[in-house]
Amino acid sequence: MNNFIVLPMVIPLVTAIVLVFLRENVRIMRTITVISLLLNIGISIFILHHVLHHGIIRLDFGNWLPPFGILFVADTFAMLLVATTNIVSLIILYYSFFSIGIKREKLYFYTFAHFLIAGVNGSFLTGDIFNLFVTFEVMLIASYVLITLGATRAQLIESIKYMAINVISSSIFLIAVALLYGSVGTLNMAHISVRIAESGETQLLTVISLIFLVVFALKSGLLLYYWLPGSYSTPPTAISALFGALLTKVGMYAIIRTFTLLFHHEQQITHTLIGIMAGLTLIGGMIGAIGYRNIRYIVSYNVIISVGFILIAVAVMEKEAMEGAVFYLIHDMYVKALLFLLAGATIFVSRTPRYDEISGLIRHYPVLGWSFFITILALAGLPPLSGFLGKMLIAQGALANGSYLLLALGIFSSFVALYSLLRVFMHSFWGETIIDRDEATPLSKKLLFPIVSLVFISLFLGLGAEVVGPYITEAANTLMNPGIYIDAILGNEEVN
């Protein structure tokens, strides 16, 4: 059973390599992509179910027992994100079949999309801090190719900024790993946690934790998000959706994992700073969301708002808030993918990215319009849609912790997100149509299918929350009680 853990990373890696040799046969590449992701979804859900009922499992590479070897760890939190990654990726890549164009498909699009998925899944599964750096780099190198795929002028301009920021952050990441290893003498994350608990979080370790925070903030867009709006707005819709759904989530996962498992002893410093950064991120995201008329920029700034909102849970460190963060993180992966696909479809049929140049689209595209409206309500957290439960739990945690300012900012950000996207909906879909029926750009049902699929998933998460509830509760319990994770890795091993 334990050997299955590596498959969510190995399957996309093998698929990516196979697709290198099939670049001229688009139909076969599409078929292999679907089969690969369906297989990965099935395996991920199977492991997730097993972990819930039988506990955390690990795979020691080369049979090197912890804390000496590299390992993958499957706990409920990691497997929830892995399963969600595979489902979202399948839906986005299906959308790409009919939108990204044959030319880009033959430029190894599917190969690097699978490398990206492999890096994301590996980041969620690794139990080694250096291996986290390695899987980050797999993900980032693939994203460097995807952001420039097609080589338009706007893409190349934004890619320079994106690559420069990530090269700097990766360099700092490597320095932080070296400093941490020099301080505690191990790279196994469970063992690091034990070593820090034994020695106490010294001033040096606190400084190292802040370096990690800067690195992961750059990756996730927590306060240091200057690179994000442009980078997520210029690539083709399918690539933007992959970025918006997956990349920032890996950075948030890293913050949640490291500051609940490793650096949780000096919360008055580290977690207070996370709270300040989350609050400022919310403010910056709100300003950007209402300051632009470009639909893709508005969607990108809503990604930033979500980053700030989710990480309120890490700042307050209450069980309810952590449950809310896990649930909202899953919700956000689906809804942000959906939002980027909706934005891309809207721009495709209107031929302009500015919402103030569009009107009355709902007359010709009712499914697209009502899907957009339902997505707005889900993102704003209106019951009974998927955003409500996560936001309510995070708000309860902030209230229990006495973090009233963060609570107020979080609630206000929901109204701003609602306003920013409702403004797009009212201008673009409502009012008198400016497009005659004969001039309307046809919107294929094949493009609408992934959009409607994501809408139904969002509805299911909201209306069927009791189905995923046990998984969310178990994931939050493991995060709030690091001893559970540590015992699963080091329980029967010598750790001195």
Side-chain angles (χ1 to χ4, degrees):
M1 177 64 211
N2 291 30
N3 290 329
F4 276 53
I5 304 174
V6 76
L7 291 179
M9 185 175 183
V10 167
I11 290 172
L13 281 177
V14 173
T15 304
I17 293 168
V18 170
L19 293 179
V20 168
F21 303 100
L22 300 170
R23 64 182 294 251
E24 294 300 325
N25 197 321
V26 172
R27 180 171 293 181
I28 291 179
M29 287 196 294
R30 292 175 179 176
T31 302
I32 291 175
T33 291
V34 171
I35 294 171
S36 171
L37 286 168
L38 284 173
L39 180 62
N40 226 357
I41 290 168
I43 291 170
S44 302
I45 293 174
F46 173 71
I47 297 172
L48 173 61
H49 182 75
H50 180 87
V51 169
L52 178 68
H53 291 92
H54 301 282
I56 298 171
I57 55 177
R58 73 172 197 253
L59 174 63
D60 305 317
F61 291 101
N63 286 326
W64 283 90
L65 296 178
F68 304 107
I70 296 171
L71 76 164
F72 271 11
V73 181
D75 68 344
T76 313
F77 182 43
M79 289 313 305
L80 276 170
L81 296 179
V82 169
T84 304
T85 295
N86 293 324
I87 294 170
V88 168
S89 298
L90 175 62
I91 293 171
I92 293 172
L93 290 182
Y94 179 84
Y95 182 95
S96 74
F97 295 169
F98 314 104
S99 65
I100 202 164
I102 298 285
K103 180 181 177 182
R104 283 191 171 99
E105 287 181 288
K106 289 184 177 181
L107 289 174
Y108 303 103
F109 166 68
Y110 297 113
T111 292
F112 285 101
H114 282 285
F115 276 128
L116 181 79
I117 294 164
V120 171
N121 287 341
S123 298
F124 293 145
L125 289 169
T126 185
D128 181 283
I129 195 72
F130 179 75
N131 203 41
L132 180 63
F133 166 78
V134 174
T135 51
F136 260 68
E137 291 309 297
V138 172
M139 174 186 74
L140 288 172
I141 290 170
S143 72
Y144 296 158
V145 176
L146 291 173
I147 197 174
T148 57
L149 199 68
T152 66
R153 183 174 182 274
Q155 283 179 271
L156 295 176
I157 290 172
E158 293 299 333
S159 68
I160 293 171
K161 187 195 309 177
Y162 176 79
M163 290 181 190
I165 289 291
N166 279 292
V167 167
I168 292 169
S169 66
S170 295
S171 302
I172 300 171
F173 192 177
L174 196 56
I175 293 168
V177 170
L179 290 172
L180 184 60
Y181 181 73
S183 299
V184 298
T186 183
L187 295 170
N188 181 291
M189 292 201 288
H191 198 205
I192 293 169
S193 182
V194 171
R195 287 283 176 88
I196 293 175
E198 289 173 347
S199 64
E201 191 167 323
T202 62
Q203 291 180 347
L204 175 59
L205 286 170
T206 301
V207 171
I208 293 171
S209 73
L210 296 180
I211 297 174
F212 275 106
L213 179 57
V214 170
V215 171
F216 298 144
L218 281 166
K219 305 290 189 186
S220 65
L222 177 64
L223 185 60
L224 308 175
Y225 57 77
Y226 170 73
W227 56 272
L228 191 152
S231 300
Y232 284 20
S233 299
T234 53
T237 298
I239 295 174
S240 294
L242 278 174
F243 285 11
L246 304 182
L247 296 193
T248 56
K249 309 309 182 291
V250 178
M252 283 191 278
Y253 167 83
I255 291 174
I256 294 170
R257 181 68 81 187
T258 54
F259 286 91
T260 57
L261 179 62
L262 309 183
F263 306 115
H264 57 88
H265 302 282
E266 294 291 338
Q267 294 186 19
Q268 69 274 17
I269 299 174
T270 53
H271 291 60
T272 299
L273 183 57
I274 291 172
I276 294 170
M277 295 173 74
L280 293 174
T281 302
L282 285 170
I283 294 170
M286 288 187 285
I287 293 171
I290 62 177
Y292 281 92
R293 288 180 169 79
N294 184 306
I295 299 172
R296 299 189 76 179
Y297 270 85
I298 293 169
V299 171
S300 296
Y301 273 100
N302 271 276
V303 172
I304 294 167
I305 292 174
S306 298
V307 172
F309 189 86
I310 291 169
L311 292 177
I312 290 175
V314 182
V316 302
M317 285 298 285
E318 297 286 342
K319 189 173 187 298
E320 296 90 348
M322 200 59 69
E323 288 180 358
V326 175
F327 189 88
Y328 198 83
L329 192 57
I330 304 301
H331 146 86
D332 202 57
M333 292 173 76
Y334 289 115
V335 172
K336 285 303 184 299
L338 174 56
L339 201 55
F340 275 100
L341 297 187
L342 286 165
T346 303
I347 293 168
F348 170 72
V349 298
S350 63
R351 303 187 187 96
T352 176
R354 292 177 61 94
Y355 70 78
D356 56 350
E357 296 176 357
I358 315 169
S359 179
L361 290 180
I362 203 164
R363 177 171 297 182
H364 302 303
Y365 311 102
V367 175
L368 180 66
W370 291 117
S371 296
F372 202 115
F373 183 69
I374 293 171
T375 305
I376 293 170
L377 300 184
L379 194 65
L382 271 67
L385 299 172
S386 58
F388 171 70
L389 184 59
K391 289 199 172 190
M392 183 187 70
L393 289 169
I394 292 174
Q396 285 181 352
L399 189 62
N401 184 262
S403 301
Y404 302 117
L405 181 57
L406 283 177
L407 174 62
L409 283 172
I411 293 172
F412 186 61
S413 72
S414 298
F415 288 106
V416 172
L418 177 63
Y419 168 74
S420 68
L421 293 169
L422 201 56
R423 186 177 55 168
V424 174
F425 176 78
M426 295 301 292
H427 276 83
S428 302
F429 290 94
W430 225 243
E432 284 295 321
T433 182
I434 58 174
I435 304 174
D436 293 333
R437 183 170 295 276
D438 294 337
E439 298 176 351
T441 303
L443 185 61
S444 168
K445 291 180 180 178
K446 294 176 181 178
L447 284 178
L448 285 173
F449 176 73
I451 290 172
V452 173
S453 298
L454 286 168
V455 170
F456 275 105
I457 291 174
S458 177
L459 290 170
F460 168 76
L461 283 175
L463 298 172
E466 68 278 0
V467 176
V468 296
Y471 299 93
I472 302 298
T473 301
E474 180 60 28
N477 186 48
T478 302
L479 292 171
M480 294 301 295
N481 299 281
I484 298 172
Y485 185 95
I486 294 167
D487 289 343
I489 309 306
L490 304 173
N492 298 318
E493 314 296 339
E494 180 63 44
V495 297
N496 292 323

